[in-house]
Amino acid sequence: MNALRLVSRTKLYWGLIAIFLIGVFSSPVTSKGSNIFLSYGNLLDVLRQVSTTGLIATGMTAVIITGGIDLSVGSLMAICTVVTAMLLTMPGATPAAVMGVPAVGFVALFIGVTVTRFLFTNLAKSAAGAPHRAAQLDPVRGVAVPAVVGVILCALALWFLLPQVGSKFGVLGVLIVAPCVGLLFGALNGVIIVAGRLQPFIVTLAMMVTALGIARLTAGQNNAVLPVYTGSNATEEFEVLRSLAFGIIPMPGLFFLGAIIIYGAVLRFTPFGRYVYAIGGNEEAARLSGIAAGRVKIATYAMSGLLAGIAAVLYVAQYRQGKPDAGAGLELDAIAAVVIGGTSLMGGRGSLAGTFCGVLIFGLLSNILQLHNINSNLQLVLKGLIIIGTVLVQERNATDLFSHLRLSRKRSAHTPTPAEERTTKETQSRTIGGNANETP
């Protein structure tokens, strides 16, 4: 029994191992007899290709655990690719600079105020010896000092970014601006959902369309694609995001692994993570227990937008372009990877370790199909079937489905005998209080 339980709990990892072994044994070989699938370059390409989807799926996991959904991440990534490309290649007060620089200032101000109040609140709780009670802060610690810290951080951010507006932005500049733009759009999703008490599906669907329109307006009517050529129209330092970190792992993969580890630790070991799971399990009960469910949900959508912004910068680095439709359909790939990873769409259950495995399963499957030159349309069909099968297993409904089909087959194949019919009539008669031998 313990062995079966262990296998049940680790079935996702066994699935990842199975996909990997299928790739190994079915891989074509080079003229020298080398296994193409196992080649270092091929595995690096897999990690590089899944990193963008992986970053999106990382933020999506927490959103789905709360019982929500975010359909706008693809469009948010698209608008952030446009912002990144314009900042890298166009000097002056472009629409990207007008949008991005104030966004960074606002985020810096908010972070300064929020973090300072958080520290003072926890210090007050520790001094009072009541960590679970609300602490009352005086006007100096509650308002004045947080406001000063926020203004200082905002001023430092603007001091760093404003000189770059006149020329062109560098690597660090776009790595600050694009995630902040995504964070604000994501936070707006959360605010509308919480304040308006609307379904996340509707709100994020509306944001998906709105962000796509904003991305096209920002890029301009004649700019379907904004090319980025490092060393030519953009800083050569931007090439570092295409390189191998420490000569081993692609930079996009390093960002993906870092996001998984950091956000996974937050969800597993911090009160915020426990609140996320509590809200997904039963939001009303979480509210009654004192959890600020609205703030937690806004934070998860903001983080989803922030990770979409980081993915946008990496997308521009990999494909050397920004475009308004860069993230088309990416939200569906992210949701599929999250669900394959064992996160329940009903909320309250899931993990980033599972999402990591789901992203790798998706990436390895695509790579295997491409190595065998499978038709792209057939690849979509196979992926869809695998998603359905995986979800049935993850939700533990496969056994019920097969049992139902087997039972239905037995019922349709069985013809009742006269004795069984007579017994059935007698049972029905006793149930209504009659006698099977009575005549009406």
Side-chain angles (χ1 to χ4, degrees):
M1 180 63 71
N2 291 334
L4 292 176
R5 185 177 302 174
L6 178 62
V7 171
S8 177
R9 289 181 177 179
T10 59
K11 56 181 177 287
L12 181 63
Y13 304 103
W14 291 110
L16 177 59
I17 293 173
I19 289 289
F20 187 83
L21 291 177
I22 290 172
V24 172
F25 292 110
S26 66
S27 171
V29 296
T30 64
S31 57
K32 297 181 179 180
S34 300
N35 189 299
I36 296 178
F37 179 81
L38 280 179
S39 65
Y40 187 64
N42 182 66
L43 295 179
L44 285 184
D45 285 341
V46 171
L47 182 58
R48 190 187 299 273
Q49 291 169 6
V50 303
S51 296
T52 300
T53 304
L55 282 168
I56 300 292
T58 301
M60 184 75 74
T61 301
V63 171
I64 292 178
I65 291 175
T66 62
I69 198 76
D70 190 353
L71 300 179
S72 66
V73 284
S75 295
L76 295 189
M77 195 195 85
I79 192 173
C80 289
T81 64
V82 172
V83 169
T84 300
M86 293 187 75
L87 293 177
L88 286 169
T89 60
M90 300 180 185
T94 61
V98 172
M99 180 193 307
V101 174
V104 175
F106 181 80
V107 171
L109 177 65
F110 179 79
I111 290 175
V113 172
T114 303
V115 172
T116 306
R117 281 184 59 87
F118 176 79
L119 293 176
F120 278 134
T121 301
N122 282 275
L123 288 174
K125 289 180 179 180
S126 299
H132 299 293
R133 295 181 182 178
Q136 297 294 329
L137 298 178
D138 56 78
V140 174
R141 293 183 300 170
V143 179
V145 176
V148 170
V149 173
V151 170
I152 291 174
L153 282 180
C154 178
L156 289 174
L158 296 179
W159 171 78
F160 175 73
L161 293 176
L162 285 176
Q164 300 184 51
V165 173
S167 55
K168 294 177 183 178
F169 276 65
V171 179
L172 184 57
V174 294
L175 279 174
I176 293 174
V177 174
C180 286
V181 172
L183 185 148
L184 286 183
F185 276 103
L188 182 60
N189 273 335
V191 169
I192 295 174
I193 290 168
V194 172
R197 298 182 179 180
L198 299 176
Q199 289 294 328
F201 181 91
I202 299 299
V203 174
T204 57
L205 179 63
M207 179 60 75
M208 177 179 71
V209 178
T210 303
L212 178 61
I214 295 175
R216 290 176 176 174
L217 290 173
T218 303
Q221 295 291 337
N222 299 322
N223 289 321
V225 176
L226 299 170
V228 176
Y229 303 119
T230 54
S232 177
N233 67 345
T235 176
E236 191 171 355
E237 296 175 356
F238 194 64
E239 191 72 17
V240 70
L241 296 180
R242 290 174 51 88
S243 63
L244 296 178
F246 313 109
I248 300 174
I249 183 172
M251 284 297 293
L254 189 64
F255 276 86
F256 172 40
L257 294 175
I260 283 284
I261 293 171
I262 295 172
Y263 208 5
V266 169
L267 291 179
R268 185 174 180 83
F269 300 113
T270 67
F272 174 80
R274 292 193 289 273
Y275 297 161
V276 168
Y277 283 96
I279 292 170
N282 190 324
E283 184 172 347
E284 187 61 27
R287 293 180 190 276
L288 294 176
S289 65
I291 296 174
R295 295 180 183 179
V296 173
K297 291 171 71 173
I298 292 173
T300 59
Y301 283 96
M303 283 300 301
S304 179
L306 183 144
L307 290 170
I310 296 175
V313 178
L314 298 175
Y315 177 94
V316 175
Q318 300 307 306
Y319 296 98
R320 302 180 186 273
Q321 63 181 6
K323 55 181 181 178
D325 61 344
L330 190 60
E331 62 279 348
L332 301 180
D333 290 342
I335 293 171
V338 172
V339 173
I340 288 175
T343 300
S344 174
L345 288 173
M346 302 301 294
R349 179 166 60 87
S351 69
L352 281 176
T355 296
F356 179 71
C357 290
V359 170
L360 289 183
I361 288 173
F362 220 66
L364 291 173
L365 175 63
S366 298
N367 183 253
I368 292 169
L369 296 175
Q370 290 171 5
L371 288 178
H372 289 279
N373 295 320
I374 302 298
N375 182 277
S376 59
N377 295 320
L378 182 57
Q379 289 186 33
L380 296 176
V381 174
L382 293 175
K383 288 179 182 179
L385 294 175
I386 289 173
I387 290 171
I388 292 174
T390 304
V391 173
L392 282 172
V393 173
Q394 292 293 345
E395 297 294 338
R396 301 177 182 177
N397 292 332
T399 303
D400 295 341
L401 177 62
F402 292 138
S403 299
H404 178 73
L405 292 175
R406 186 166 58 251
L407 183 60
S408 300
R409 192 183 305 112
K410 287 182 179 180
R411 287 178 176 175
S412 61
H414 178 69
T415 303
T417 62
E420 289 175 339
E421 291 181 352
R422 185 167 59 254
T423 303
T424 302
K425 291 180 179 180
E426 291 176 355
T427 303
Q428 293 174 347
S429 179
R430 292 193 191 98
T431 302
I432 61 176
N435 192 318
N437 296 323
E438 292 178 354
T439 56

